[in-house]
């Protein structure tokens, strides 16, 4: 038998059969594709006004196509993986169509006439509101129908004259995880069917500017739906077993019938129907229903969504403090980690309800158009021992001598706070800030760590109260002992501690 030939390498004999099987990593399609992902196809430029924009100019990637046939086959899908209508307007439609079978992500799909010959899309963002196509809706619907594996869908109807939502557009999207619907007319009662079609797979749902929603449209036993066969409540009730994030804004503006029924529509029943079976829900953003009893909604959240930790609640002048306090105190008894609240005001009752979450609450953002009670503010600062991020912005509270007196009356419990925003109607002149910081630095070396800059005017300079040096000194004295504090916003002034 003939001996296998060997050659001598730097460390001794080597097997020539072994070396003949060696493959250069740069000949592997997987490696080539990874190289391509490091080369951006977007070219940044500035317009006449200095605004930055991007343009589809994949020059480096086009050069890679010329290396070899292997590189061509590996890089071409990288170039065409993403279609973005805002930055690819310079590409002829026939070229986009020719390579559309490679597209996996579609953003800002507005005016491309198609066809898109793709069936493996994962992400789709469609905006009807800016389209100039004669039959844009049909083109967009066909794109969705041809891609049953979509995981993320953002579909915007229109800011005016909203089109009717069609439930059939969502049938078959069994892998859809993230859905955002905006600017649709749902007066045809198809919202229920659309949500039912994708409810089992959704992890994130956002809906806003939905006009024409009527009482009972999302209920198990829908009324006035003669075309639908009778079904049991158990079969028809919406259930979202995987949903982790829900952002919902109902609107009753936009159709004659909804305007007529507006005084009877609160949205609380629709929220109860949506939230009835969301066992994995972690984040909830919602408008507070007006003129509604919230006990049922609070009970559903408390008993059926036990893992909610982050909540954003949007109220207005028609939502009372007592109503908000009851809801916040009763709906999330397992404790919130983050609370964002927009309310008409902040009084003792509402502050006490928020403070029930003090054992777990780490981020608290409150914005009001009305008065913030000084004792309510103190309640939050004293009991919020786990707070790391605090923002209290008010268009009425001045933060003057009376507020300072109350805030100084008890030691604050938020010893680990890192960011504090006291957005009161108070401001300090630059010369006052410089003088106070200079004097405090000479007497207290810790104050050397602090610098400042003047920020933007949030509410209008004519509404601000100009603070005195003593007031600024008092505020800085309150935060001096907060060793982890890094950023402080006091009216229009931002203070920062050097690391």
């Amino acid at each position: 038998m003939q001996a296998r030939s060997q050659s001598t390498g730097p460390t001794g004999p080597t097997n020539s059969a072994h070396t003949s099987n060696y493959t250069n990593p740069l000949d592997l399609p997987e490696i080539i594709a990874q190289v391509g992902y490091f080369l951006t196809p977007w070219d940044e430029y500035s317009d006449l006004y200095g605004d930055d924009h991007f343009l589809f100019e994949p020059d480096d990637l086009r050069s890679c196509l010329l290396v070899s046939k292997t590189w061509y086959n590996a890089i071409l899908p990288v170039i065409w993986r993403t279609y973005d209508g805002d930055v690819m307007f310079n590409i002829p439609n026939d070229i986009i169509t020719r390579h559309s079978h490679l597209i996996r992500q579609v953003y800002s799909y507005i005016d491309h006439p198609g066809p898109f010959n793709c069936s493996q899309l994962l992400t789709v963002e469609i905006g009807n509101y800016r389209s100039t196509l004669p039959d844009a809706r049909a083109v967009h619907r066909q794109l969705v129908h041809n891609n049953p594996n979509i995981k993320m869908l953002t579909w915007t109807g229109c800011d005016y004259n909203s089109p009717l939502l069609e439930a059939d557009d969502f049938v078959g999207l069994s892998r859809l995880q993230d859905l955002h619907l905006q600017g649709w007319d749902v007066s045809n009662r198809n919202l229920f069917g659309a949500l039912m079609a994708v409810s089992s797979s959704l992890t994130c749902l956002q809906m806003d500017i939905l006009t024409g929603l009527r009482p009972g449209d999302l209920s198990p036993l829908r009324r006035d739906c003669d075309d639908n066969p009778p079904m049991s409540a158990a079969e028809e009730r919406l259930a979202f077993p995987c949903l982790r994030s829900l952002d919902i804004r109902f609107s009753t503006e936009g159709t004659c019938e909804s305007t007529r029924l507006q005084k009877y529509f609160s949205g609380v029943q629709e929220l109860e129907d949506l939230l009835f079976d969301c066992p994995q829900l972690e984040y909830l953003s919602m408008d507070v229903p007006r003129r509604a009893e919230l006990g049922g909604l609070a009970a559903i959240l408390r008993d059926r969504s036990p893992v909610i930790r982050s909540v954003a609640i949007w109220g207005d002048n028609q939502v009372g403090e007592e109503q908000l306090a009851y809801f916040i105190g009763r709906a999330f008894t397992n404790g919130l980690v983050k609370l964002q609240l927009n309310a008409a005001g902040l009084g003792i009752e509402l502050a006490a309800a928020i403070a029930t979450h003090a054992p777990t609450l780490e981020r608290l953002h409150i914005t009001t158009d009305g008065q913030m009670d000084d004792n309510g503010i103190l309640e939050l600062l004293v009991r919020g021992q786990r707070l790391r991020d605090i923002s209290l912005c008010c268009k009425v509270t001045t933060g003057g001598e009376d507020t300072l007196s109350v805030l100084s009356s008890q030691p604050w419990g938020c010893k680990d706070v890192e960011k504090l925003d006291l957005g009161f109607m108070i401001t300090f002149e630059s010369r006052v800030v410089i003088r106070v910081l200079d004097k405090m630095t000479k007497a207290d070396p810790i104050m050397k760590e602090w610098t400042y800059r003047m920020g933007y005017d949030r509410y209008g300079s004519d509404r601000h109260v100009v603070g005195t040096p003593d007031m600024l000194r008092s505020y800085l004295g309150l935060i001096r002992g907060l060793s982890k504090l890094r950023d402080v916003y006091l009216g229009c002034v931002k203070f920062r501690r050097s690391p």
Side-chain angles (χ1 to χ4, degrees):
M1 181 181 294
Q2 185 177 359
R4 187 175 294 179
S5 61
Q6 291 184 341
S7 61
T8 303
T11 58
T14 61
N15 193 309
S16 60
H18 173 75
T19 57
S20 65
N21 292 330
Y22 171 77
T23 300
N24 189 331
L26 291 181
D27 288 333
L28 297 174
E30 298 85 353
I31 302 297
I32 298 172
Q34 290 301 317
V35 172
Y37 286 127
F38 281 99
L39 302 175
T40 177
W42 319 114
D43 183 32
E44 186 174 5
Y45 70 96
S46 298
D47 60 19
L48 296 176
Y49 302 98
D51 296 328
D52 293 331
H53 301 276
F54 290 90
L55 194 66
F56 184 68
E57 291 286 356
D59 294 337
D60 293 335
L61 288 166
R62 277 199 292 257
S63 298
C64 293
L65 297 176
L66 305 177
V67 174
S68 67
K69 184 176 181 180
T70 301
W71 275 67
Y72 182 93
N73 293 332
I75 292 295
L76 193 65
V78 176
I79 295 178
W80 293 101
R81 179 177 177 80
T82 301
Y83 169 85
D84 190 328
D86 285 336
V87 298
M88 299 179 74
F89 54 86
N90 58 318
I91 308 300
N93 289 328
D94 60 328
I95 294 180
I96 294 177
T97 299
R98 186 191 315 159
H99 298 97
S100 61
H101 65 285
L102 300 172
I103 297 175
R104 297 294 179 267
Q105 299 172 331
V106 171
Y107 296 101
S108 300
Y109 180 28
I110 302 168
D111 278 340
H112 178 63
F116 264 129
N117 300 316
C118 46
S119 59
Q120 299 298 321
L121 288 179
L122 301 176
T123 301
V124 178
E125 178 187 284
I126 300 174
N128 290 323
Y129 58 96
R130 287 187 292 166
S131 180
T132 58
L133 292 177
D135 196 9
R137 180 75 188 284
V139 175
H140 297 163
R141 293 182 68 187
Q142 191 63 47
L143 177 69
V144 174
H145 292 172
N146 292 344
N147 288 273
N149 295 321
I150 295 174
K151 292 185 177 181
M152 181 181 296
L153 174 61
T154 298
W155 203 344
T156 303
C158 191
D159 294 332
Y160 58 92
N161 193 25
S162 301
L164 287 170
L165 187 71
E166 299 295 340
D168 291 344
D169 292 341
F170 302 88
V171 174
L173 300 181
S174 59
R175 299 186 181 183
L176 188 63
Q177 298 176 4
D178 191 326
L179 174 62
H180 181 191
L181 296 176
Q182 179 180 5
W184 290 96
D185 182 351
V186 296
S187 61
N188 58 0
R189 303 204 166 196
N190 274 338
L191 180 59
F192 182 93
L195 294 178
M196 183 66 79
V198 297
S199 60
S200 62
S201 60
L202 282 184
T203 60
C204 180
L205 174 61
Q206 182 176 352
M207 298 187 292
D208 49 81
I209 318 180
L210 301 181
T211 62
L213 191 68
R214 293 174 287 180
D217 277 2
L218 300 180
S219 296
L221 301 177
R222 290 171 291 163
R223 296 179 291 275
D224 302 325
C225 296
D226 298 332
D227 295 336
N228 295 319
M231 301 178 70
S232 68
E235 291 176 307
E236 274 209 307
R237 184 177 288 280
L238 286 169
F240 300 93
C242 302
L243 194 66
R244 287 177 168 78
S245 175
L246 176 62
D247 187 340
I248 178 67
R249 306 289 183 87
F250 289 128
S251 171
T252 56
E253 306 287 342
T255 67
C256 295
E257 186 168 7
S258 65
T259 301
R260 179 173 58 83
L261 294 174
Q262 184 173 359
K263 63 180 181 180
Y264 304 110
F265 183 89
S266 69
V268 66
Q269 179 182 347
E270 287 62 44
L271 284 171
E272 291 176 0
D273 292 330
L274 275 176
L275 291 163
F276 183 80
D277 196 351
C278 301
Q280 303 300 321
L281 193 64
E282 300 172 358
Y283 171 76
L284 172 63
S285 176
M286 53 170 276
D287 288 324
V288 179
R290 303 173 179 177
R291 305 175 301 277
E293 201 281 321
L294 299 180
L297 181 59
I300 288 174
L301 288 169
R302 180 183 65 243
D303 300 335
R304 306 187 68 88
S305 298
V307 297
I308 290 182
R309 293 294 179 267
S310 180
V311 173
I313 299 176
W314 309 96
D316 57 25
N317 292 331
Q318 298 187 36
V319 178
E321 179 184 332
E322 181 180 353
Q323 187 182 21
L324 276 177
Y326 176 87
F327 183 71
I328 292 173
R330 299 292 183 89
F332 316 104
T333 53
N334 290 325
L336 295 175
V337 174
K338 178 182 177 181
L339 174 61
Q340 183 175 357
L341 175 64
N342 186 12
L346 176 70
I348 292 294
E349 185 177 4
L350 181 55
I354 295 172
T356 60
H357 300 278
T360 57
L361 196 60
E362 296 180 2
R363 300 182 64 187
L364 176 62
H365 293 183
I366 302 177
T367 302
T368 70
D369 290 331
Q371 185 72 35
M372 280 189 178
D373 186 274
D374 296 336
N375 289 292
I377 297 173
L378 181 63
E379 176 89 0
L380 298 174
L381 297 176
V382 170
R383 295 181 58 183
Q385 297 183 9
R386 292 180 60 88
L387 285 172
R388 304 290 187 272
D389 183 352
I390 306 172
S391 177
L392 304 173
C393 298
C394 178
K395 298 181 180 180
V396 176
T397 299
T398 61
E401 296 286 356
D402 293 340
T403 301
L404 270 170
S405 177
V406 173
L407 298 185
S408 305
S409 62
Q410 294 185 49
W412 294 359
C414 51
K415 301 297 183 182
D416 295 330
V417 65
E418 299 170 2
K419 180 180 177 181
L420 177 63
D421 184 356
L422 299 178
F424 301 149
M425 296 302 299
I426 190 171
T427 189
F428 298 94
E429 298 176 347
S430 296
R431 57 186 179 86
V432 171
V433 177
I434 295 172
R435 187 186 315 132
V436 170
L437 277 179
D438 184 57
K439 289 184 178 180
M440 294 185 72
T441 298
K442 292 179 180 178
D444 187 351
I446 292 180
M447 297 306 297
K448 291 182 179 179
E449 302 172 355
W450 289 94
T451 58
Y452 91 98
R453 66 176 177 83
M454 301 304 295
Y456 63 93
D457 188 349
R458 285 183 271 197
Y459 308 125
S461 58
D462 58 318
R463 300 181 59 188
H464 280 103
V465 174
V466 179
T468 65
D470 288 340
M471 293 169 61
L472 179 58
R473 193 175 296 108
S474 298
Y475 272 114
L476 294 178
L478 288 173
I479 67 174
R480 179 194 175 280
L482 304 176
S483 60
K484 295 186 179 181
L485 191 60
R486 290 293 175 264
D487 294 287
V488 177
Y489 298 82
L490 183 55
C492 295
V493 187
K494 177 181 179 181
F495 296 91
R496 168 162 288 184
R497 173 178 278 165
S498 303

